[in-house]
Amino acid sequence: MKKSIVKLFGIFVLSASLLTSCSSSDDNGPSSSFVVDANNFKGTINDGEVVLNAATIYKLTGKLQINNGATLTIPAGTVIQGIGGTAAYIAVAQGGKINVNGTATNPVVMTSGLATKNAGDWGGLVICGKAPINRVTGGLGTAQSEVADLSYGGTTANDNSGVIRYLRIEYAGAAFNSEKEFNGVSLFGVGSGTTFEYVQAFHGADDGFEFFGGTVNTSNLIAIGNEDDQFDWTEGWNGTNTNWYGKIAFGKGNRGIEADNFELGYSNTPVSNPTITNLTLVGPGGIADATIYLENNAFKLRRGTKGMFSNVVLSSWKQGFNVEHDETISFIGTALKATNVNFIADVTTKSKGTTTAVAPATTGVTADVSSIFSESATATGAGNGVSAPTWSTGWSVGF
């Protein structure tokens, strides 16, 4: 991707009205040299704290980057509108922070600024931290993010990239190729010191949320109508999570969850091993058109991932649990299992397993992976079965 030109102080010209649209500091942080133009919101925040103004609509026209030592604080009710296509996105570099201070009745909204809104109208939110990843086994290495061209990974498991609460991200994302994609939110090596809760990714052009390693914990996430996976992880992500709701909508989408350890090293460490409690995944229907919905899996678990899931509701999928590769299958029943799963309706096949292919074969042998789950007719998932959970009221859309 072509990099955005860095904008330093002195470049932007503001009208008198726009000069009141933000503050370069508040009582919590030092003054920043960054100057905001709400109608041309882009550039690089290199120092101090920039605080936006909820009374102003910010037109995101290019890359906005928050560098090491800088903070962007966004108050409740602020609206940021992406109008620059995939060149317009917000990226938090290692050592930078973003504080999103939305509320249940007054969320922060990052959305399309176009008259007719569509998935992929802007890039999305990218956060890069210093927590371990497994692209180099052992979690000691760093890498460059597939979008934003920023370093991520390291050895600081409790790294803090900010506090994000009550944030709705709409119409973001783009898939350039199999190795480069914008998601609603891309979390690269984000640490457990980061707060990430009450966030929705709505109608994006690729995944809703994707975790590239790291140790960030989450709660109360909603992914609706994203055109690939609603949730995705790889590169050794370990996090504790509660209350996830995902739903296929708008005639596109593949999986509720796609989960890998690492594509180029199924046994690389640290091994992806999240826990998710209270999870609802709603698909397009068990007999939905496979040319549109492709795999139509609630879970695609592969490439050596572990994971523990409990209180799960699944509805309207061709396959519930699709497990691939020997390393992944070996964890079933110990480090990879789902307890108290409620198959509400229209799940054609509850589980499917495929071993690692051995050349010259291109696909592996079918395996029985039915022990990956135990059932419970009383499981409530994210809180209300397939319906909108009570904790989604006021700040989310699309149910």
Side-chain angles (χ1 to χ4, degrees), residues 164-168 196-200 219-221 243 391-392 395:
I164 299 97
R165 288 192 179 102
Y166 291 106
L167 168 64
R168 191 169 74 239
F196 194 83
E197 58 190 22
Y198 297 97
V199 183
Q200 179 177 21
S219 67
N220 303 87
L221 303 188
N243 294 338
W391 52 261
S392 69
W395 64 277

Side-chain angles (χ1 to χ4, degrees), residues 67-233:
N67 277 348
N68 181 35
T71 300
L72 175 65
T73 296
I74 308 175
T78 303
V79 175
I80 298 174
Q81 297 181 341
I83 60 173
T86 54
Y89 58 96
I90 297 174
V92 183
Q94 288 184 318
K97 287 185 171 64
I98 183 168
N99 295 323
V100 177
N101 298 326
T103 68
T105 57
N106 206 17
V108 171
V109 180
M110 300 178 182
T111 188
S112 168
L114 303 183
T116 301
K117 303 181 192 308
N118 292 293
D121 280 350
W122 66 290
L125 175 62
V126 177
I127 304 177
C128 295
K130 301 177 184 179
I133 61 175
N134 70 9
R135 292 186 72 93
V136 178
T137 190
L140 301 178
T142 61
Q144 291 295 114
S145 60
E146 62 185 26
V147 290
D149 299 314
L150 294 172
S151 294
Y152 70 100
T155 58
T156 309
N158 64 346
D159 188 42
N160 182 356
S161 296
V163 176
I164 299 97
R165 288 192 179 102
Y166 291 106
L167 168 64
R168 191 169 74 239
I169 295 180
E170 304 174 340
Y171 308 109
F176 300 99
N177 54 50
S178 61
E179 297 297 322
K180 186 173 182 178
E181 59 192 34
F182 271 113
N183 306 293
V185 184
S186 300
L187 299 163
F188 290 94
V190 176
S192 61
T194 307
T195 298
F196 194 83
E197 58 190 22
Y198 297 97
V199 183
Q200 179 177 21
F202 177 76
H203 202 178
D206 202 73
D207 300 332
F209 299 90
E210 184 159 7
F211 301 82
F212 297 84
T215 54
V216 64
N217 306 310
T218 76
S219 67
N220 303 87
L221 303 188
I222 301 170
I224 293 179
N226 300 289
E227 294 183 351
D228 191 13
D229 311 311
Q230 304 312 302
F231 302 95
D232 194 335
W233 65 76

Side-chain angles (χ1 to χ4, degrees), residues 335-354:
L336 181 66
K337 61 182 179 179
T339 56
N340 297 324
V341 180
N342 189 353
F343 296 91
I344 294 286
D346 194 16
V347 179
T348 305
T349 301
K350 292 181 178 179
S351 65
K352 173 186 176 182
T354 309

Side-chain angles (χ1 to χ4, degrees), residues 309-313 338-342 373-381:
F309 318 104
S310 60
N311 189 27
V312 179
V313 164
T339 56
N340 297 324
V341 180
N342 189 353
F373 66 86
S374 65
E375 294 190 57
S376 170
T378 60
T380 56

